[in-house]
Amino acid sequence: MNGFDADRDVYRTLLESTKAIPWKIDWHSMTFSYIGPQIETLLGWSPDSWVSVNDWVERMHPEDRERVVGFCVSQSQAGTDHEADYRALTRDGDYVWIRDVVHVVRNEEGGVESLVGFMFDISERKHTEQQLIRLQKELEELSYKDGLTGIANRRMFDATLEQEWNDARRRCQPLSLILLDIDNFKEYNDHFGHLQGDDCLRTVARILSRAATRPRDFVGRFGGEEFALILPESDARAARTVAERCRQLLTEQALPHPAALATPTVTLSLGVSSLVPGEQDCPLAFIESVDRLLYRAKQSGRNRIEAG
């Protein structure tokens, strides 16, 4: 055995002793000239079953195939080294996440001669990434949810109003807002205690969710004992109907409120307004105008609706 053959055997031994799976593809014939024996341990397919590039393509998850093949071909044609992640089919019918790291080998004329690279098993990493994505999504959802009542919080209200405002202005559609407040809630807390006060807030939140029935209708806690409803594509008459439904549903619930002066049950005061947003209008001014209507309802005796 000459020195060259000895060196080649050493390199092959080193390559085949790693977890990474080495491979080489002849560019002109699109066939595998080599693939490491580790491929059988990982995927179950014997090295001699990897004949052409089609074997690689057909053992790729259908959802990944077009994206990965298109990317790898375009990068290889351009002579650019690249990486690609995809799911590879095992002989048992399962899938393993693979990362292919590809180096483009050029001939003396600068043309592509072959592709050499390594396959890495990244299943554990992908599983961790997917868990992190799921946790991030859950945290994001929690950041938009009121911890006490389970409905949307003020942050979600602000984001939703901005989105619906822009949509209503673009489409010249009406947008309605209802702000409502539990009457004499301080007295309720003083009489029953804060734990029952929390139960009252949760009950009101459930009732308001029943009152707003369309998919895009928004119900959220505005702050303290104050709640908000955003009603896209609702004119003044429709918004007044929803506001009255909110008030009536709570009346039917008949939550006792011995400390209330006017009525023996928990009631709501509501401010409601509608507009088709124009270029000169702004959401903050709209909120402030509805808040003034709510204040007027409070000052006029509570358990009533003020519309503007």
Side-chain angles (χ1 to χ4, degrees):
M1 179 183 294
N2 59 38
F4 176 79
D5 290 336
D7 288 344
R8 185 177 60 186
D9 289 342
V10 169
Y11 291 141
R12 174 167 290 194
T13 300
L14 289 172
L15 287 173
E16 294 179 358
S17 65
T18 67
K19 289 186 178 181
I21 304 167
W23 55 265
K24 181 178 181 180
I25 290 175
D26 178 74
W27 181 252
H28 298 291
S29 64
M30 287 295 170
T31 57
F32 281 91
S33 55
Y34 176 77
I35 190 165
Q38 306 99 312
I39 193 70
E40 188 166 5
T41 303
L42 179 60
L43 299 180
W45 305 103
S46 63
D48 58 15
S49 70
W50 297 80
V51 178
S52 72
V53 172
N54 285 335
D55 295 313
W56 170 69
V57 173
E58 291 172 1
R59 291 167 182 172
M60 192 181 300
H61 196 291
E63 293 178 3
D64 302 334
R65 192 172 295 154
E66 182 177 355
R67 169 183 58 84
V68 173
V69 173
F71 172 74
C72 290
V73 169
S74 64
Q75 294 298 298
S76 299
Q77 289 174 335
T80 305
D81 294 347
H82 55 279
E83 298 180 2
D85 294 353
Y86 58 89
R87 288 162 289 181
L89 178 68
T90 70
R91 194 176 182 86
D92 296 331
D94 296 323
Y95 283 95
V96 173
W97 272 102
I98 295 291
R99 171 164 296 169
D100 251 330
V101 179
V102 184
H103 172 64
V104 181
V105 179
R106 295 173 175 271
N107 56 32
E108 294 181 356
E109 291 75 30
V112 179
E113 181 176 277
S114 61
L115 306 177
V116 296
F118 288 92
M119 292 181 182
F120 296 89
D121 177 6
I122 60 168
S123 297
E124 186 174 345
R125 181 189 307 175
K126 279 293 182 179
H127 178 68
T128 301
E129 288 177 0
Q130 289 166 354
Q131 283 186 315
L132 289 173
I133 291 171
R134 178 178 56 80
L135 289 172
Q136 184 177 0
K137 184 177 180 181
E138 290 178 0
L139 287 172
E140 185 176 343
E141 290 175 353
L142 287 173
S143 73
Y144 284 109
K145 183 181 292 187
D146 178 59
L148 176 63
T149 63
I151 61 174
N153 61 14
R154 176 62 185 271
R155 180 184 179 191
M156 187 62 176
F157 167 84
D158 291 337
T160 302
L161 183 62
E162 180 180 5
Q163 178 180 333
E164 295 293 0
W165 182 276
N166 292 334
D167 184 71
R169 182 167 57 187
R170 184 177 63 254
R171 301 173 56 202
C172 295
Q173 291 289 328
L175 177 67
S176 295
L177 175 64
I178 301 172
L179 293 181
L180 53 95
D181 188 273
I182 301 174
D183 295 324
N184 302 302
F185 189 68
K186 180 181 182 302
E187 291 77 6
Y188 187 94
N189 270 336
D190 290 343
H191 183 84
F192 288 111
H194 288 284
L195 290 179
Q196 191 159 334
D198 290 347
D199 285 339
C200 178
L201 290 170
R202 284 189 282 264
T203 298
V204 171
R206 287 195 297 269
I207 288 172
L208 297 179
S209 297
R210 288 167 49 201
T213 57
R214 299 179 310 162
R216 281 175 60 194
D217 290 346
F218 170 92
V219 178
R221 188 178 177 192
F222 196 71
E225 65 270 26
E226 194 169 349
F227 296 82
L229 282 78
I230 301 172
L231 308 175
E233 299 182 19
S234 293
D235 58 17
R237 182 177 179 179
R240 177 66 186 250
T241 299
V242 174
E244 181 57 38
R245 189 185 304 143
C246 294
R247 196 188 67 81
Q248 187 61 36
L249 285 173
L250 185 59
T251 299
E252 293 171 1
Q253 190 73 25
L255 295 175
H257 192 344
L261 300 177
T263 61
T265 60
V266 175
T267 60
L268 297 173
S269 294
L270 306 95
V272 54
S273 187
S274 302
L275 86 167
V276 177
E279 293 297 329
Q280 304 304 315
D281 298 312
C282 77
L284 180 59
F286 185 44
I287 295 171
E288 290 173 346
S289 68
V290 180
D291 195 50
R292 286 193 293 271
L293 292 169
L294 171 59
Y295 181 76
R296 188 191 305 170
K298 289 284 192 184
Q299 294 299 107
S300 302
R302 299 183 175 86
N303 190 25
R304 58 183 290 124
I305 300 168
E306 286 288 339

PDB file of all heavy atoms in Angstrom, residues 78-106:
ATOM      1  N   ALA A  78     -25.172  28.045  -8.693  1.00  0.00           N
ATOM      2  CA  ALA A  78     -24.461  29.313  -8.525  1.00  0.00           C
ATOM      3  C   ALA A  78     -23.070  29.111  -7.917  1.00  0.00           C
ATOM      4  O   ALA A  78     -22.314  30.079  -7.775  1.00  0.00           O
ATOM      5  CB  ALA A  78     -25.272  30.254  -7.644  1.00  0.00           C
ATOM      6  N   GLY A  79     -22.776  27.874  -7.528  1.00  0.00           N
ATOM      7  CA  GLY A  79     -21.471  27.590  -6.931  1.00  0.00           C
ATOM      8  C   GLY A  79     -21.347  28.082  -5.506  1.00  0.00           C
ATOM      9  O   GLY A  79     -20.243  28.358  -5.030  1.00  0.00           O
ATOM     10  N   THR A  80     -22.476  28.162  -4.802  1.00  0.00           N
ATOM     11  CA  THR A  80     -22.499  28.714  -3.450  1.00  0.00           C
ATOM     12  C   THR A  80     -22.650  27.604  -2.415  1.00  0.00           C
ATOM     13  O   THR A  80     -23.580  26.792  -2.495  1.00  0.00           O
ATOM     14  CB  THR A  80     -23.669  29.701  -3.294  1.00  0.00           C
ATOM     15  OG1 THR A  80     -23.582  30.710  -4.305  1.00  0.00           O
ATOM     16  CG2 THR A  80     -23.657  30.349  -1.919  1.00  0.00           C
ATOM     17  N   ASP A  81     -21.751  27.559  -1.456  1.00  0.00           N
ATOM     18  CA  ASP A  81     -21.912  26.621  -0.342  1.00  0.00           C
ATOM     19  C   ASP A  81     -23.182  26.965   0.430  1.00  0.00           C
ATOM     20  O   ASP A  81     -23.548  28.155   0.557  1.00  0.00           O
ATOM     21  CB  ASP A  81     -20.706  26.695   0.602  1.00  0.00           C
ATOM     22  CG  ASP A  81     -19.427  26.213  -0.071  1.00  0.00           C
ATOM     23  OD1 ASP A  81     -19.517  25.607  -1.159  1.00  0.00           O
ATOM     24  OD2 ASP A  81     -18.333  26.459   0.489  1.00  0.00           O
ATOM     25  N   HIS A  82     -23.839  25.955   0.994  1.00  0.00           N
ATOM     26  CA  HIS A  82     -25.119  26.222   1.634  1.00  0.00           C
ATOM     27  C   HIS A  82     -25.475  25.129   2.634  1.00  0.00           C
ATOM     28  O   HIS A  82     -24.792  24.104   2.738  1.00  0.00           O
ATOM     29  CB  HIS A  82     -26.224  26.333   0.575  1.00  0.00           C
ATOM     30  CG  HIS A  82     -26.325  25.156  -0.334  1.00  0.00           C
ATOM     31  ND1 HIS A  82     -25.488  24.989  -1.421  1.00  0.00           N
ATOM     32  CD2 HIS A  82     -27.152  24.075  -0.332  1.00  0.00           C
ATOM     33  CE1 HIS A  82     -25.791  23.859  -2.041  1.00  0.00           C
ATOM     34  NE2 HIS A  82     -26.800  23.282  -1.395  1.00  0.00           N
ATOM     35  N   GLU A  83     -26.562  25.392   3.376  1.00  0.00           N
ATOM     36  CA  GLU A  83     -27.097  24.437   4.339  1.00  0.00           C
ATOM     37  C   GLU A  83     -28.602  24.321   4.132  1.00  0.00           C
ATOM     38  O   GLU A  83     -29.252  25.290   3.709  1.00  0.00           O
ATOM     39  CB  GLU A  83     -26.828  24.883   5.780  1.00  0.00           C
ATOM     40  CG  GLU A  83     -25.355  24.992   6.138  1.00  0.00           C
ATOM     41  CD  GLU A  83     -25.156  25.445   7.569  1.00  0.00           C
ATOM     42  OE1 GLU A  83     -26.164  25.636   8.285  1.00  0.00           O
ATOM     43  OE2 GLU A  83     -23.989  25.613   7.980  1.00  0.00           O
ATOM     44  N   ALA A  84     -29.152  23.162   4.452  1.00  0.00           N
ATOM     45  CA  ALA A  84     -30.595  22.967   4.326  1.00  0.00           C
ATOM     46  C   ALA A  84     -31.074  21.997   5.399  1.00  0.00           C
ATOM     47  O   ALA A  84     -30.433  20.971   5.649  1.00  0.00           O
ATOM     48  CB  ALA A  84     -30.946  22.427   2.936  1.00  0.00           C
ATOM     49  N   ASP A  85     -32.191  22.344   6.025  1.00  0.00           N
ATOM     50  CA  ASP A  85     -32.822  21.472   7.019  1.00  0.00           C
ATOM     51  C   ASP A  85     -34.073  20.853   6.421  1.00  0.00           C
ATOM     52  O   ASP A  85     -34.873  21.540   5.761  1.00  0.00           O
ATOM     53  CB  ASP A  85     -33.221  22.269   8.267  1.00  0.00           C
ATOM     54  CG  ASP A  85     -32.016  22.811   9.013  1.00  0.00           C
ATOM     55  OD1 ASP A  85     -30.887  22.464   8.643  1.00  0.00           O
ATOM     56  OD2 ASP A  85     -32.218  23.587   9.970  1.00  0.00           O
ATOM     57  N   TYR A  86     -34.273  19.566   6.668  1.00  0.00           N
ATOM     58  CA  TYR A  86     -35.459  18.882   6.149  1.00  0.00           C
ATOM     59  C   TYR A  86     -35.673  17.591   6.930  1.00  0.00           C
ATOM     60  O   TYR A  86     -34.803  17.137   7.687  1.00  0.00           O
ATOM     61  CB  TYR A  86     -35.301  18.583   4.653  1.00  0.00           C
ATOM     62  CG  TYR A  86     -34.087  17.750   4.317  1.00  0.00           C
ATOM     63  CD1 TYR A  86     -34.142  16.363   4.312  1.00  0.00           C
ATOM     64  CD2 TYR A  86     -32.874  18.367   4.024  1.00  0.00           C
ATOM     65  CE1 TYR A  86     -33.023  15.598   4.015  1.00  0.00           C
ATOM     66  CE2 TYR A  86     -31.748  17.614   3.723  1.00  0.00           C
ATOM     67  CZ  TYR A  86     -31.827  16.235   3.724  1.00  0.00           C
ATOM     68  OH  TYR A  86     -30.713  15.489   3.441  1.00  0.00           O
ATOM     69  N   ARG A  87     -36.828  16.990   6.706  1.00  0.00           N
ATOM     70  CA  ARG A  87     -37.148  15.717   7.347  1.00  0.00           C
ATOM     71  C   ARG A  87     -36.883  14.584   6.356  1.00  0.00           C
ATOM     72  O   ARG A  87     -37.393  14.598   5.237  1.00  0.00           O
ATOM     73  CB  ARG A  87     -38.612  15.694   7.791  1.00  0.00           C
ATOM     74  CG  ARG A  87     -38.893  16.584   8.983  1.00  0.00           C
ATOM     75  CD  ARG A  87     -40.359  16.894   9.132  1.00  0.00           C
ATOM     76  NE  ARG A  87     -40.828  17.803   8.082  1.00  0.00           N
ATOM     77  CZ  ARG A  87     -42.077  18.245   7.987  1.00  0.00           C
ATOM     78  NH1 ARG A  87     -42.993  17.842   8.861  1.00  0.00           N
ATOM     79  NH2 ARG A  87     -42.413  19.086   7.015  1.00  0.00           N
ATOM     80  N   ALA A  88     -36.080  13.611   6.797  1.00  0.00           N
ATOM     81  CA  ALA A  88     -35.714  12.477   5.946  1.00  0.00           C
ATOM     82  C   ALA A  88     -36.471  11.233   6.395  1.00  0.00           C
ATOM     83  O   ALA A  88     -36.609  10.968   7.593  1.00  0.00           O
ATOM     84  CB  ALA A  88     -34.213  12.230   6.004  1.00  0.00           C
ATOM     85  N   LEU A  89     -36.948  10.482   5.424  1.00  0.00           N
ATOM     86  CA  LEU A  89     -37.722   9.266   5.678  1.00  0.00           C
ATOM     87  C   LEU A  89     -36.818   8.128   6.128  1.00  0.00           C
ATOM     88  O   LEU A  89     -35.783   7.858   5.510  1.00  0.00           O
ATOM     89  CB  LEU A  89     -38.468   8.868   4.409  1.00  0.00           C
ATOM     90  CG  LEU A  89     -39.309   7.578   4.459  1.00  0.00           C
ATOM     91  CD1 LEU A  89     -40.508   7.772   5.377  1.00  0.00           C
ATOM     92  CD2 LEU A  89     -39.755   7.201   3.049  1.00  0.00           C
ATOM     93  N   THR A  90     -37.217   7.439   7.197  1.00  0.00           N
ATOM     94  CA  THR A  90     -36.480   6.255   7.627  1.00  0.00           C
ATOM     95  C   THR A  90     -37.083   5.017   6.953  1.00  0.00           C
ATOM     96  O   THR A  90     -38.195   5.051   6.428  1.00  0.00           O
ATOM     97  CB  THR A  90     -36.545   6.073   9.151  1.00  0.00           C
ATOM     98  OG1 THR A  90     -37.882   5.703   9.529  1.00  0.00           O
ATOM     99  CG2 THR A  90     -36.134   7.353   9.872  1.00  0.00           C
ATOM    100  N   ARG A  91     -36.345   3.934   7.003  1.00  0.00           N
ATOM    101  CA  ARG A  91     -36.827   2.691   6.399  1.00  0.00           C
ATOM    102  C   ARG A  91     -38.088   2.186   7.109  1.00  0.00           C
ATOM    103  O   ARG A  91     -38.923   1.487   6.519  1.00  0.00           O
ATOM    104  CB  ARG A  91     -35.727   1.629   6.458  1.00  0.00           C
ATOM    105  CG  ARG A  91     -36.001   0.409   5.569  1.00  0.00           C
ATOM    106  CD  ARG A  91     -34.827  -0.560   5.612  1.00  0.00           C
ATOM    107  NE  ARG A  91     -35.066  -1.706   4.737  1.00  0.00           N
ATOM    108  CZ  ARG A  91     -34.783  -1.738   3.437  1.00  0.00           C
ATOM    109  NH1 ARG A  91     -34.201  -0.683   2.879  1.00  0.00           N
ATOM    110  NH2 ARG A  91     -35.029  -2.805   2.706  1.00  0.00           N
ATOM    111  N   ASP A  92     -38.257   2.577   8.389  1.00  0.00           N
ATOM    112  CA  ASP A  92     -39.432   2.161   9.170  1.00  0.00           C
ATOM    113  C   ASP A  92     -40.640   3.051   8.944  1.00  0.00           C
ATOM    114  O   ASP A  92     -41.699   2.813   9.526  1.00  0.00           O
ATOM    115  CB  ASP A  92     -39.087   2.139  10.666  1.00  0.00           C
ATOM    116  CG  ASP A  92     -38.028   1.096  10.989  1.00  0.00           C
ATOM    117  OD1 ASP A  92     -37.973   0.089  10.265  1.00  0.00           O
ATOM    118  OD2 ASP A  92     -37.267   1.304  11.955  1.00  0.00           O
ATOM    119  N   GLY A  93     -40.476   4.105   8.136  1.00  0.00           N
ATOM    120  CA  GLY A  93     -41.601   4.984   7.839  1.00  0.00           C
ATOM    121  C   GLY A  93     -41.699   6.214   8.714  1.00  0.00           C
ATOM    122  O   GLY A  93     -42.651   6.990   8.587  1.00  0.00           O
ATOM    123  N   ASP A  94     -40.746   6.433   9.611  1.00  0.00           N
ATOM    124  CA  ASP A  94     -40.718   7.643  10.420  1.00  0.00           C
ATOM    125  C   ASP A  94     -39.883   8.718   9.713  1.00  0.00           C
ATOM    126  O   ASP A  94     -39.360   8.486   8.625  1.00  0.00           O
ATOM    127  CB  ASP A  94     -40.115   7.348  11.804  1.00  0.00           C
ATOM    128  CG  ASP A  94     -40.970   6.372  12.603  1.00  0.00           C
ATOM    129  OD1 ASP A  94     -42.207   6.467  12.488  1.00  0.00           O
ATOM    130  OD2 ASP A  94     -40.399   5.520  13.312  1.00  0.00           O
ATOM    131  N   TYR A  95     -39.781   9.879  10.362  1.00  0.00           N
ATOM    132  CA  TYR A  95     -38.965  10.950   9.791  1.00  0.00           C
ATOM    133  C   TYR A  95     -37.960  11.454  10.827  1.00  0.00           C
ATOM    134  O   TYR A  95     -38.259  11.515  12.024  1.00  0.00           O
ATOM    135  CB  TYR A  95     -39.843  12.114   9.316  1.00  0.00           C
ATOM    136  CG  TYR A  95     -40.546  11.827   8.000  1.00  0.00           C
ATOM    137  CD1 TYR A  95     -41.850  11.327   7.993  1.00  0.00           C
ATOM    138  CD2 TYR A  95     -39.897  12.030   6.790  1.00  0.00           C
ATOM    139  CE1 TYR A  95     -42.495  11.052   6.792  1.00  0.00           C
ATOM    140  CE2 TYR A  95     -40.531  11.754   5.588  1.00  0.00           C
ATOM    141  CZ  TYR A  95     -41.831  11.269   5.593  1.00  0.00           C
ATOM    142  OH  TYR A  95     -42.454  10.992   4.409  1.00  0.00           O
ATOM    143  N   VAL A  96     -36.773  11.795  10.341  1.00  0.00           N
ATOM    144  CA  VAL A  96     -35.700  12.338  11.166  1.00  0.00           C
ATOM    145  C   VAL A  96     -35.290  13.679  10.585  1.00  0.00           C
ATOM    146  O   VAL A  96     -35.142  13.818   9.361  1.00  0.00           O
ATOM    147  CB  VAL A  96     -34.489  11.380  11.180  1.00  0.00           C
ATOM    148  CG1 VAL A  96     -33.309  12.022  11.906  1.00  0.00           C
ATOM    149  CG2 VAL A  96     -34.855  10.050  11.828  1.00  0.00           C
ATOM    150  N   TRP A  97     -35.125  14.653  11.462  1.00  0.00           N
ATOM    151  CA  TRP A  97     -34.685  15.974  10.989  1.00  0.00           C
ATOM    152  C   TRP A  97     -33.190  15.922  10.644  1.00  0.00           C
ATOM    153  O   TRP A  97     -32.370  15.486  11.456  1.00  0.00           O
ATOM    154  CB  TRP A  97     -34.922  17.039  12.048  1.00  0.00           C
ATOM    155  CG  TRP A  97     -36.283  17.654  11.980  1.00  0.00           C
ATOM    156  CD1 TRP A  97     -37.341  17.393  12.773  1.00  0.00           C
ATOM    157  CD2 TRP A  97     -36.719  18.661  11.040  1.00  0.00           C
ATOM    158  NE1 TRP A  97     -38.430  18.159  12.409  1.00  0.00           N
ATOM    159  CE2 TRP A  97     -38.063  18.938  11.348  1.00  0.00           C
ATOM    160  CE3 TRP A  97     -36.107  19.332   9.980  1.00  0.00           C
ATOM    161  CZ2 TRP A  97     -38.806  19.877  10.627  1.00  0.00           C
ATOM    162  CZ3 TRP A  97     -36.845  20.267   9.271  1.00  0.00           C
ATOM    163  CH2 TRP A  97     -38.175  20.526   9.595  1.00  0.00           C
ATOM    164  N   ILE A  98     -32.870  16.354   9.440  1.00  0.00           N
ATOM    165  CA  ILE A  98     -31.493  16.342   8.921  1.00  0.00           C
ATOM    166  C   ILE A  98     -31.066  17.771   8.574  1.00  0.00           C
ATOM    167  O   ILE A  98     -31.863  18.566   8.078  1.00  0.00           O
ATOM    168  CB  ILE A  98     -31.412  15.477   7.638  1.00  0.00           C
ATOM    169  CG1 ILE A  98     -31.706  14.010   7.947  1.00  0.00           C
ATOM    170  CG2 ILE A  98     -30.049  15.633   6.954  1.00  0.00           C
ATOM    171  CD1 ILE A  98     -30.636  13.331   8.752  1.00  0.00           C
ATOM    172  N   ARG A  99     -29.807  18.057   8.851  1.00  0.00           N
ATOM    173  CA  ARG A  99     -29.196  19.277   8.296  1.00  0.00           C
ATOM    174  C   ARG A  99     -28.086  18.856   7.346  1.00  0.00           C
ATOM    175  O   ARG A  99     -27.149  18.161   7.740  1.00  0.00           O
ATOM    176  CB  ARG A  99     -28.631  20.173   9.387  1.00  0.00           C
ATOM    177  CG  ARG A  99     -27.783  21.350   8.851  1.00  0.00           C
ATOM    178  CD  ARG A  99     -27.566  22.417   9.883  1.00  0.00           C
ATOM    179  NE  ARG A  99     -28.835  23.041  10.250  1.00  0.00           N
ATOM    180  CZ  ARG A  99     -28.978  23.864  11.296  1.00  0.00           C
ATOM    181  NH1 ARG A  99     -27.935  24.143  12.060  1.00  0.00           N
ATOM    182  NH2 ARG A  99     -30.156  24.393  11.572  1.00  0.00           N
ATOM    183  N   ASP A 100     -28.212  19.254   6.078  1.00  0.00           N
ATOM    184  CA  ASP A 100     -27.192  18.999   5.069  1.00  0.00           C
ATOM    185  C   ASP A 100     -26.315  20.245   4.941  1.00  0.00           C
ATOM    186  O   ASP A 100     -26.823  21.347   4.672  1.00  0.00           O
ATOM    187  CB  ASP A 100     -27.838  18.687   3.713  1.00  0.00           C
ATOM    188  CG  ASP A 100     -27.680  17.230   3.317  1.00  0.00           C
ATOM    189  OD1 ASP A 100     -26.670  16.635   3.718  1.00  0.00           O
ATOM    190  OD2 ASP A 100     -28.553  16.702   2.614  1.00  0.00           O
ATOM    191  N   VAL A 101     -25.021  20.069   5.148  1.00  0.00           N
ATOM    192  CA  VAL A 101     -24.049  21.148   4.941  1.00  0.00           C
ATOM    193  C   VAL A 101     -23.296  20.824   3.654  1.00  0.00           C
ATOM    194  O   VAL A 101     -22.631  19.785   3.563  1.00  0.00           O
ATOM    195  CB  VAL A 101     -23.082  21.263   6.128  1.00  0.00           C
ATOM    196  CG1 VAL A 101     -22.063  22.370   5.875  1.00  0.00           C
ATOM    197  CG2 VAL A 101     -23.847  21.522   7.414  1.00  0.00           C
ATOM    198  N   VAL A 102     -23.408  21.684   2.656  1.00  0.00           N
ATOM    199  CA  VAL A 102     -22.958  21.366   1.298  1.00  0.00           C
ATOM    200  C   VAL A 102     -21.826  22.302   0.868  1.00  0.00           C
ATOM    201  O   VAL A 102     -21.934  23.529   1.005  1.00  0.00           O
ATOM    202  CB  VAL A 102     -24.138  21.490   0.293  1.00  0.00           C
ATOM    203  CG1 VAL A 102     -23.685  21.054  -1.100  1.00  0.00           C
ATOM    204  CG2 VAL A 102     -25.327  20.662   0.764  1.00  0.00           C
ATOM    205  N   HIS A 103     -20.770  21.706   0.327  1.00  0.00           N
ATOM    206  CA  HIS A 103     -19.665  22.468  -0.270  1.00  0.00           C
ATOM    207  C   HIS A 103     -19.617  22.161  -1.768  1.00  0.00           C
ATOM    208  O   HIS A 103     -19.666  20.991  -2.175  1.00  0.00           O
ATOM    209  CB  HIS A 103     -18.340  22.094   0.377  1.00  0.00           C
ATOM    210  CG  HIS A 103     -17.142  22.692  -0.311  1.00  0.00           C
ATOM    211  ND1 HIS A 103     -16.917  24.053  -0.364  1.00  0.00           N
ATOM    212  CD2 HIS A 103     -16.113  22.105  -0.994  1.00  0.00           C
ATOM    213  CE1 HIS A 103     -15.807  24.289  -1.037  1.00  0.00           C
ATOM    214  NE2 HIS A 103     -15.305  23.122  -1.439  1.00  0.00           N
ATOM    215  N   VAL A 104     -19.557  23.198  -2.578  1.00  0.00           N
ATOM    216  CA  VAL A 104     -19.525  23.051  -4.033  1.00  0.00           C
ATOM    217  C   VAL A 104     -18.067  23.006  -4.496  1.00  0.00           C
ATOM    218  O   VAL A 104     -17.292  23.941  -4.249  1.00  0.00           O
ATOM    219  CB  VAL A 104     -20.270  24.210  -4.732  1.00  0.00           C
ATOM    220  CG1 VAL A 104     -20.243  24.024  -6.241  1.00  0.00           C
ATOM    221  CG2 VAL A 104     -21.709  24.315  -4.219  1.00  0.00           C
ATOM    222  N   VAL A 105     -17.697  21.901  -5.175  1.00  0.00           N
ATOM    223  CA  VAL A 105     -16.335  21.739  -5.705  1.00  0.00           C
ATOM    224  C   VAL A 105     -16.332  22.120  -7.182  1.00  0.00           C
ATOM    225  O   VAL A 105     -17.142  21.607  -7.971  1.00  0.00           O
ATOM    226  CB  VAL A 105     -15.856  20.280  -5.547  1.00  0.00           C
ATOM    227  CG1 VAL A 105     -14.441  20.130  -6.118  1.00  0.00           C
ATOM    228  CG2 VAL A 105     -15.903  19.867  -4.077  1.00  0.00           C
ATOM    229  N   ARG A 106     -15.444  23.015  -7.559  1.00  0.00           N
ATOM    230  CA  ARG A 106     -15.356  23.477  -8.944  1.00  0.00           C
ATOM    231  C   ARG A 106     -14.150  22.866  -9.652  1.00  0.00           C
ATOM    232  O   ARG A 106     -13.140  22.544  -9.018  1.00  0.00           O
ATOM    233  CB  ARG A 106     -15.235  25.002  -8.991  1.00  0.00           C
ATOM    234  CG  ARG A 106     -16.467  25.749  -8.482  1.00  0.00           C
ATOM    235  CD  ARG A 106     -16.178  27.245  -8.411  1.00  0.00           C
ATOM    236  NE  ARG A 106     -17.339  28.018  -8.038  1.00  0.00           N
ATOM    237  CZ  ARG A 106     -18.229  28.505  -8.883  1.00  0.00           C
ATOM    238  NH1 ARG A 106     -18.084  28.273 -10.178  1.00  0.00           N
ATOM    239  NH2 ARG A 106     -19.256  29.209  -8.468  1.00  0.00           N
TER     240      ARG A 106
END
